[in-house]
Amino acid sequence: MRILLTNDDGINAPGLYVLEKIAAQLSDDIWICAPSEEQSGAGHSLTLGRPVRMREHAPKRFSVTGTPTDSVTLGIKKAMPGPPDLILSGVNRGANLGDDVTYSGTVSAAMEGALAGIRSIALSQVYAGEGHGNNVSFSAAEEWGAKVLRPLLDAPFAPRTLVNVNFPPVAAADVKGIRVVRQGFHDYARGSVVEGMDPRGFPYYWFGLHGIEQTPGHRTDLEAIAEGYISVTPLQLDLTHDASLAEMASRFEA
Ligand code: MN
């Protein structure tokens, strides 16, 4: 089984090394293609306005001067001798839960894999507390990663679907188990905006992720994480709200 690894925190991200350890338990044919710089919040963006460079750091290990989506595309089409059997994106430093998934470079890299018809799974390690982003424990992800992935390796994945996995912010021994749950939602999709003044006296704004209210709904990813479980959520790229189709169409009938 040939596996492509990527990560939106960059080619040197600690979570990518954790993912390498997880993937090594599943296969010995591991390829890496990840952005050269952190791309958290890049979503599903594709670099169109400038050229992208790919650098080979070591055999099977590449960085790309672009987004996570660019990395998956170049990984499949240029770095590897053929398409992988599996794409793993992560382990992200921080949660990708509820409606945050569309901001996520980690989840979007898996979306790109799903679009290419390849089994794709995003993995994220939730951490607790503000200001600790540089000192995140990946204990739960490292210990449980292969256990979560193995049953998914031969599970049927519908076309244009992917799986989003989040590990709770507890030590591996305190993880309560694994729950397959639906995507939850935040009470409102706003983080903090910090306002400051630059050295030349011009104002700037800096988006943060803190202060997003959430009410963990029943049987959602947010609830599973809040209760100390690993969340496993199948996602689809078709965002159509089927229940609205008929009513909306009726408004356009002559
Ligand atoms: Mn990230």
Side-chain angles (χ1 to χ4, degrees), residues 8-9 38 40 92-93 106:
D8 82 347
D9 299 324
E38 174 163 358
S40 294
N92 186 58
R93 180 173 58 195
T106 303

Side-chain angles (χ1 to χ4, degrees), residues 194-198 200-205:
V194 172
E195 187 172 350
M197 198 69 79
D198 79 9
R200 295 192 298 156
F202 295 101
Y204 66 79
Y205 306 93

